[in-house]
Amino acid sequence: MIHYFEGQLGHVFVIVAFVTSLLSAYAYFKGRNQDEQWTSFGSKIFYVHSIAILGIIGTLFYLITNHYFEYHYVFSHSSKLLPVYYQISCFWEGQEGSFLLWMFWNAVLGVILINTNKFWKAPVMLIMSLTQVFLASMILGVVIFEVKLGSSPFMLLRDVIDAPIFKTNPNFIPEDGNGLNPLLQNYWMVIHPPTLFLGFATTVIPFAYCIGGLMIGKNKEWIRPALPWAQFSAMILGVGILMGAYWAYETLNFGGYWNWDPVENAIYVPWLVLVASIHVMIAYKKSGSALKLSMILVVASFLLVLYATFLTRSGILGNSSVHSFTDLGLSGQLLVYLLAFLAISVFFIVKRWKEVPNTKEETSTYSREFWIFMGAAILCLMAFQVLIYTSMPVYNSIAGSLGFDLNLAPPTDIYDAYSLPQMILAIFLAILSGTGQFFWWKKMDGKKLRAELTTPFIISLVISGLIIVLGKITNPYYLVLLVASVYSIVANAKIFIGVAKANIKLSGGAITHIGVALMLVGILFSSGYSTILSTNYTSMVWSTEFPEEVNRDNLLLFINEPRQMKEYSMIYRGVRKMTREEGYVDQNELVPTPDPLKVIRSGSNEKDTLTLINPENSYFEVEYHKEGEKQFTLFPRVQINETMDMIVYSPDIKRNLSADMYTHVRTFPDPEQEPDWSDPKEVKVQIGDQFFINDYVATLTKMEPISEIEGTPLSSGDVAVKAVIEVQGEYETYLSEPIFVIRDKKYIGRINDQVNDLAFRISIQNIVPQENAVVLAFQTTQKDWIIMEAVKKPWINLLWLGTFLLVIGFIVAINRRYSEFMKMRDKGVEA
C-alpha cells in the first residue's frame, strides 16, 4: 500500500516553509529602520517557518525509518539493512536532504539572532530570510510556467523513474532500497555533514550584518556584532573541513587525508577568505583602517560558499570529483541564487562606497596593520591559487555557452599544481603569524623588533636543526617550511606566556597560530616522509590495470604465510565478518540463515545465532609482528555493494603517538569466481598414517559411523561414515571430515570437505575393509591472498593536535569578542 498522506504532509510543510520565508523577508524589509510592528510580525512568521522546517525533517525521517520505498528519496538512499545511525546519514546523502540540513541550521541561527540583538534584528534577519527563500525553493519540486523549481524529497518513485513495472502495476513498491553509498558508511559521515553545513549557515551571519549595516547606513558599526560570528563561523567551518579530511583518511584508500579534490578545494577557498576577513576586521576595530577591505572579504567569503554550492551541486564538475552531486536540474536555480546575492552585495557596496571612510595614514612597516594586511593578502593568494584550477570546469562551460571549446583539463600533477604553491605561501604565512604578533602587542621599531625576535629565532634554529638531523630532512622546501613553522610556534608561545599572565582571554590569537603551525609540521611529516613498508622488490606486476606506483608499493600476501616488510613481519589470516556478539569471526565458520543479518557458526546450535554488523562489509585480518614490540592486528575493509555495483576498499589504522600504521587492501580474489581445482590425487591410507596434502602433513586419526548428516536425510538402511583427518597448517591444526554414504547397498555418495585456509578439498573414494584402509582423493587450488599496502605516517598526530589548539584558540577569541559586544550592548550601544 502506498502511503500517500505522509508525502503530501511533507510537501505541505515545504510550501509553508517557502511562503513563510518570503513573508518574513518582506516583513523584515518593511521593519529595517526600527519599525517594531513589522519586525515583530517578521519574527513570528520566521518562527512558523522554523516549525515548518522541523515538520519537513520529521516527515522525511519517518519515511526513511519506516522504509517507505515508494518514495524516490527513500529508495535511492536507504535500505532495510542499514543500522539506525546510517539511516540518519541517509537523510543528507542526497541533494534535497543536504539543502534541508542547511535550512535547519539557518533556522536555528535565525532564532538565536532574533533573541540576541534588537537593533540589528530586522536588517540581519532580512538577509537570513532571503537565504531561506532560495534554499526552500531548492526542495519545492513544483513546475511554474514550464519552469521547474527545486526537487522535492517527497516525490513518488513511479513519478521519477520511467520503469516498465509502473505501467503494468502503478502501485508497485520495491522490497528494498539501494542503500547508502558505501563511501558514506562511516561514523564521521554522521557528524561531518551537520558540522560542515553549520559552517555554511554561519557564513551568512557576518554577511548579513555587513549588508544589513550598509542597507540602514551603519557602514562601520556592523563590525562589532559581526566579528564574533565570523570567528565562530571560521571555527565551525574549519572543524567541518578537517572532519572531512579525517573521514577521507579513515575511509578512502588513496593513502592520505587531502587529495585536492575539487569539492575539498571549493570549501577550503571560502574558509581562507573568511579567516582573512577576520584579521582585517580586527585591524579595523583597533585602528579604524581597512573598513572597505573588511566589507569586500566578508561578502566574498559568503559568495564563495554559494559558488562552492554551485560547483558541487550543479553537475558541472562531472567526474572530476568523488564528492560532487549529480545534476537534478537545479543548476539554473543555483546560478540565480549566486547571482542574486552577488547583485545585492554589489548594489549596497557601490551605494555606500563613498560614505565609507578611507584610511588616512600611510601604513608603516612597523605597524600591526601592515603585518595583518600581509597575512590577509597571503591567505587570499592561497585561496585564489586554488580557485584558478578548481574552476576549470566552469571556464569550459562558459566557453561552451559562447560557442567554442576550451577543453581545459584538471591538473594531473597535484604536487606542482596545488601542494607546492600552497606550501610556499604557507611558509610566508607561518613567518607572518610568528612575527606579526609582536607588533600587535607592542609598539615596534627596528631595534625593538630585533630584540624581541632574537630569542625565538635562535631557539627555532636549534629545535629545527635537531629535527632536521633526526628526521633526515633534505628537501629544501620542507626545510624552510619546518623552520618557519617551528619559528611560528616558538614566537607565539612567547607571546602566549606574556599575554596569559595579564589576561588569558587575550591569548586566542597566539593559541590559534600555534595550532596552525603544528598542523603544518604534521602535514609536512605525514605527507612528505611517509614510509612505504610494502615495497614490491620483486619484478612481478600485480595488474596491468594498476598504475606503476601501485605495483611498486603493494605486496602480495598469501594466507598464513609471513612476509617481511622492513622491520615488520606481516601475516594475512583470512576474511572476517563483524558480529555484534563476538566481534570479528572467520567467515568460513559462518552459515547463512534466511535473515541476512543473522548467521550461525558452523557446528553450533541453531539457537546460537550471531548478528552481523553491516553484512556487506568484509574485513581482512592482518597481523603485524616486530621484534621487541607487542603484536597488533589490523582489519582493512572491503564493501561489495551489488545494488550500486561498487567495490569500496577502506583502510585500518594503528595509531601511535609518533606515527600511524596505515594499511589497506588493493585487491583480493573474486569471491564469485569458482576456484580452479587441480586434478584429483588419490592416496590409500590406514588409521594413523601420515600423508601430504598441498605440502601440509595430514594424519588419518579415525573412521567413525554417523547417524545424521546436516542437509542430507538418512533412511534406516543407509550407512554413513566419516574420516577424521588432522592437517598441520603453518600455525594451527585443522580438522577435515569428508563423509562416505552407502544407500540401499548400491548407491555411493561422497561429501567432500574443504579447508579454505589450506586451499584443498578431500573426499573418501572407497573403503577397503580387507586392508583396513581407505582411499582418499584430494584436490588443491591457489591459497587465499590479498595485495595490500602498508604505510607508516610519522607525526600525523601533530596535525590533529594542531586542529584541537586551533579550536581552543577560536573559542578563547570568540568569548573575548562576544563579551565585548555584550558589554557595549548592555551600555545601550546597539550599533
Side-chain angles (χ1 to χ4, degrees):
M1 181 184 70
I2 294 179
H3 302 83
Y4 291 103
F5 172 75
E6 291 86 348
Q8 291 169 350
L9 178 64
H11 194 62
V12 168
F13 279 130
V14 171
I15 294 172
V16 171
F18 178 72
V19 172
T20 51
S21 63
L22 279 170
L23 285 174
S24 63
Y26 178 75
Y28 283 127
F29 176 76
K30 298 289 287 185
R32 66 191 183 282
N33 291 312
Q34 303 304 307
D35 187 316
E36 183 59 36
Q37 188 173 359
W38 275 109
T39 301
S40 176
F41 177 69
S43 298
K44 291 174 183 176
I45 294 297
F46 194 86
Y47 281 125
V48 175
H49 169 76
S50 302
I51 293 170
I53 290 174
L54 292 177
I56 302 169
I57 292 171
T59 305
L60 188 55
F61 266 127
Y62 182 82
L63 297 181
I64 291 172
T65 55
N66 284 279
H67 309 303
Y68 289 171
F69 297 120
E70 61 264 41
Y71 288 95
H72 180 256
Y73 196 87
V74 180
F75 172 79
S76 300
H77 303 292
S78 71
S79 72
K80 292 178 179 178
L81 296 181
L82 285 175
V84 173
Y85 45 90
Y86 287 156
Q87 289 181 21
I88 295 173
S89 296
C90 294
F91 175 81
W92 45 70
E93 186 198 14
Q95 291 222 45
E96 300 92 336
S98 58
F99 280 125
L100 187 52
L101 182 60
W102 194 346
M103 288 174 64
F104 167 76
W105 283 125
N106 268 1
V108 170
L109 294 169
V111 171
I112 292 172
L113 289 169
I114 286 171
N115 293 280
T116 301
N117 193 318
K118 181 180 178 181
F119 178 84
W120 288 99
K121 186 187 297 184
V124 169
M125 287 305 299
L126 166 58
I127 304 301
M128 293 291 292
S129 298
L130 284 177
T131 62
Q132 292 295 79
V133 171
F134 281 98
L135 289 173
S137 72
M138 295 296 173
I139 60 171
L140 263 180
V142 298
V143 177
I144 301 176
F145 300 117
E146 299 184 357
V147 176
K148 180 185 177 184
L149 284 180
S151 176
S152 172
F154 302 108
M155 295 287 289
L156 290 171
L157 185 64
R158 69 186 185 193
D159 295 331
V160 179
I161 297 177
D162 186 20
I165 184 67
F166 294 118
K167 294 179 180 178
T168 56
N169 182 12
N171 294 324
F172 170 76
I173 300 174
E175 288 294 322
D176 205 352
N178 284 336
L180 185 66
N181 188 316
L183 290 172
L184 304 182
Q185 294 189 29
N186 179 279
Y187 62 95
W188 283 107
M189 281 297 110
V190 181
I191 57 177
H192 161 58
T195 305
L196 193 63
F197 277 97
L198 175 57
F200 283 1
T202 52
T203 59
V204 74
I205 298 179
F207 172 82
Y209 273 109
C210 177
I211 298 301
L214 296 177
M215 185 187 304
I216 62 175
K218 299 295 183 180
N219 301 332
K220 59 182 180 180
E221 291 82 359
W222 63 270
I223 290 279
R224 186 186 296 117
L227 181 54
W229 279 111
Q231 291 171 321
F232 179 73
S233 180
M235 180 185 72
I236 297 298
L237 193 57
V239 169
I241 291 169
L242 286 161
M243 279 183 176
Y246 200 82
W247 162 77
Y249 183 58
E250 280 200 341
T251 304
L252 305 181
N253 65 350
F254 66 84
Y257 39 81
W258 195 265
N259 201 34
W260 297 111
D261 182 276
V263 172
E264 297 171 347
N265 298 347
I267 307 306
Y268 173 65
V269 167
W271 182 77
L272 289 173
V273 175
L274 180 61
V275 173
S277 72
I278 290 170
H279 286 79
V280 176
M281 290 164 74
I282 292 172
Y284 172 76
K285 276 181 63 66
K286 283 288 183 179
S287 64
S289 59
L291 179 57
K292 289 181 177 177
L293 183 58
S294 298
M295 289 162 37
I296 290 170
L297 291 180
V298 166
V299 167
S301 63
F302 176 66
L303 293 178
L304 283 168
V305 166
L306 300 186
Y307 181 65
T309 306
F310 172 74
L311 279 180
T312 56
R313 296 166 191 281
S314 64
I316 200 168
L317 291 178
N319 296 322
S320 62
S321 171
V322 299
H323 303 282
S324 62
F325 290 85
T326 55
D327 183 16
L328 294 180
L330 304 180
S331 55
Q333 270 183 265
L334 290 167
L335 188 58
V336 170
Y337 187 8
L338 172 61
L339 294 177
F341 279 95
L342 175 62
I344 291 170
S345 304
V346 171
F347 174 80
F348 283 109
I349 289 175
V350 170
K351 181 180 179 181
R352 302 294 186 185
W353 189 258
K354 292 182 179 180
E355 301 174 18
V356 177
N358 292 313
T359 304
K360 296 179 181 179
E361 298 180 4
E362 185 176 343
T363 303
S364 167
T365 308
Y366 292 103
S367 69
R368 58 193 171 197
E369 289 77 19
F370 172 81
W371 291 88
I372 285 180
F373 297 155
M374 288 292 292
I378 294 294
L379 288 166
C380 291
L381 276 174
M382 294 174 77
F384 183 68
Q385 190 273 325
V386 173
L387 191 63
I388 290 173
Y389 286 116
T390 306
S391 298
M392 281 185 173
V394 178
Y395 308 152
N396 291 332
S397 179
I398 293 173
S401 65
L402 296 175
F404 60 94
D405 294 327
L406 280 179
N407 291 325
L408 294 175
T412 55
D413 190 333
I414 298 298
Y415 179 81
D416 285 344
Y418 292 112
S419 299
L420 182 57
Q422 291 291 299
M423 179 165 46
I424 293 170
L425 291 169
I427 291 169
F428 288 105
L429 192 65
I431 295 170
L432 288 169
S433 68
T435 306
Q437 283 285 312
F438 292 100
F439 291 91
W440 185 256
W441 298 107
K442 298 178 181 180
K443 290 185 177 181
M444 285 287 170
D445 55 27
K447 185 177 179 180
K448 288 182 180 179
L449 181 61
R450 284 192 294 271
E452 289 288 345
L453 295 184
T454 299
T455 301
F457 185 69
I458 293 172
I459 294 173
S460 302
L461 287 179
V462 172
I463 294 174
S464 300
L466 289 172
I467 296 173
I468 289 166
V469 172
L470 295 175
K472 300 178 181 178
I473 299 174
T474 56
N475 184 300
Y477 291 111
Y478 295 168
L479 285 169
V480 179
L481 178 60
L482 177 66
V483 174
S485 300
V486 172
Y487 164 72
S488 180
I489 293 169
V490 174
N492 279 283
K494 181 181 179 182
I495 292 293
F496 171 77
I497 293 169
V499 171
K501 288 179 181 178
N503 186 352
I504 193 70
K505 288 184 177 181
L506 303 177
S507 63
I511 297 172
T512 302
H513 292 158
I514 292 171
V516 171
L518 279 173
M519 291 170 68
L520 291 175
V521 176
I523 292 168
L524 186 157
F525 277 101
S526 61
S527 297
Y529 287 92
S530 293
T531 303
I532 303 293
L533 301 178
S534 52
T535 304
N536 176 18
Y537 291 109
T538 71
S539 58
M540 295 182 66
V541 174
W542 307 130
S543 173
T544 55
E545 296 181 0
F546 290 163
E548 180 183 348
E549 63 270 17
V550 172
N551 284 303
R552 181 193 65 218
D553 297 337
N554 289 258
L555 203 58
L556 174 68
L557 269 68
F558 284 105
I559 190 168
N560 292 326
E561 292 185 10
R563 290 293 300 268
Q564 195 67 31
M565 297 187 185
K566 292 201 168 51
E567 68 267 33
Y568 290 93
S569 175
M570 300 184 189
I571 306 171
Y572 166 50
R573 291 299 194 187
V575 181
R576 307 293 184 247
K577 290 289 187 180
M578 174 64 80
T579 65
R580 193 177 306 281
E581 295 80 7
E582 298 184 15
Y584 296 104
V585 178
D586 188 340
Q587 75 166 6
N588 294 321
E589 298 178 4
L590 301 178
V591 178
T593 68
D595 185 343
L597 292 175
K598 302 291 184 181
V599 291
I600 303 171
R601 191 189 287 273
S602 57
S604 66
N605 191 309
E606 289 189 9
K607 294 182 180 179
D608 299 330
T609 59
L610 300 175
T611 305
L612 292 175
I613 300 175
N614 294 342
E616 294 176 336
N617 291 346
S618 297
Y619 301 84
F620 305 95
E621 183 177 349
V622 181
E623 291 179 0
Y624 281 76
H625 300 261
K626 183 181 179 182
E627 188 174 351
E629 292 188 6
K630 187 178 179 181
Q631 166 199 326
F632 62 90
T633 304
L634 293 178
F635 295 88
R637 183 189 79 181
V638 65
Q639 182 176 142
I640 302 175
N641 190 307
E642 295 179 356
T643 304
M644 297 185 181
D645 193 24
M646 293 178 67
I647 299 179
V648 175
Y649 296 94
S650 296
D652 196 14
I653 304 164
K654 168 68 173 175
R655 294 169 177 81
N656 294 307
L657 182 63
S658 61
D660 279 4
M661 188 66 68
Y662 182 96
T663 300
H664 71 88
V665 170
R666 185 69 61 178
T667 189
F668 69 108
D670 184 355
E672 300 296 323
Q673 186 174 342
E674 286 294 323
D676 186 13
W677 293 102
S678 66
D679 294 332
K681 184 177 180 181
E682 293 189 356
V683 59
K684 184 188 291 185
V685 293
Q686 296 179 327
I687 294 175
D689 285 353
Q690 291 186 338
F691 57 101
F692 287 94
I693 303 177
N694 209 11
D695 295 330
Y696 298 104
V697 177
T699 305
L700 177 63
T701 59
K702 59 182 177 180
M703 300 285 296
E704 60 181 33
I706 54 176
S707 57
E708 293 183 355
I709 302 175
E710 186 178 351
T712 304
L714 295 176
S715 61
S716 57
D718 295 342
V719 176
V721 63
K722 72 175 180 181
V724 180
I725 303 165
E726 292 183 355
V727 187
Q728 185 61 49
E730 289 92 342
Y731 297 96
E732 62 179 288
T733 299
Y734 295 82
L735 278 183
S736 182
E737 297 178 338
I739 297 173
F740 189 80
V741 181
I742 301 175
R743 178 161 289 172
D744 298 329
K745 299 181 181 180
K746 296 179 182 179
Y747 173 75
I748 296 177
R750 300 177 179 88
I751 302 175
N752 63 40
D753 192 19
Q754 185 170 319
V755 180
N756 292 290
D757 285 1
L758 305 183
F760 75 83
R761 64 184 182 188
I762 190 167
S763 62
I764 303 172
Q765 291 299 301
N766 203 0
I767 298 175
V768 188
Q770 58 271 30
E771 298 181 23
N772 289 324
V774 60
V775 179
L776 303 174
F778 62 85
Q779 296 172 277
T780 62
T781 187
Q782 188 178 60
K783 293 181 69 175
D784 189 17
W785 54 267
I786 57 172
I787 293 175
M788 58 160 276
E789 183 177 38
V791 185
K792 193 172 185 179
K793 294 184 172 293
W795 300 111
I796 191 172
N797 285 325
L798 291 178
L799 170 58
W800 314 127
L801 175 61
T803 303
F804 176 74
L805 289 178
L806 179 76
V807 173
I808 295 297
F810 267 121
I811 290 173
V812 173
I814 292 166
N815 180 57
R816 174 194 173 190
R817 298 298 175 185
Y818 187 71
S819 298
E820 291 175 355
F821 166 70
M822 294 298 289
K823 286 179 181 178
M824 297 299 291
R825 193 193 69 172
D826 293 342
K827 289 179 180 180
V829 183
E830 294 285 2

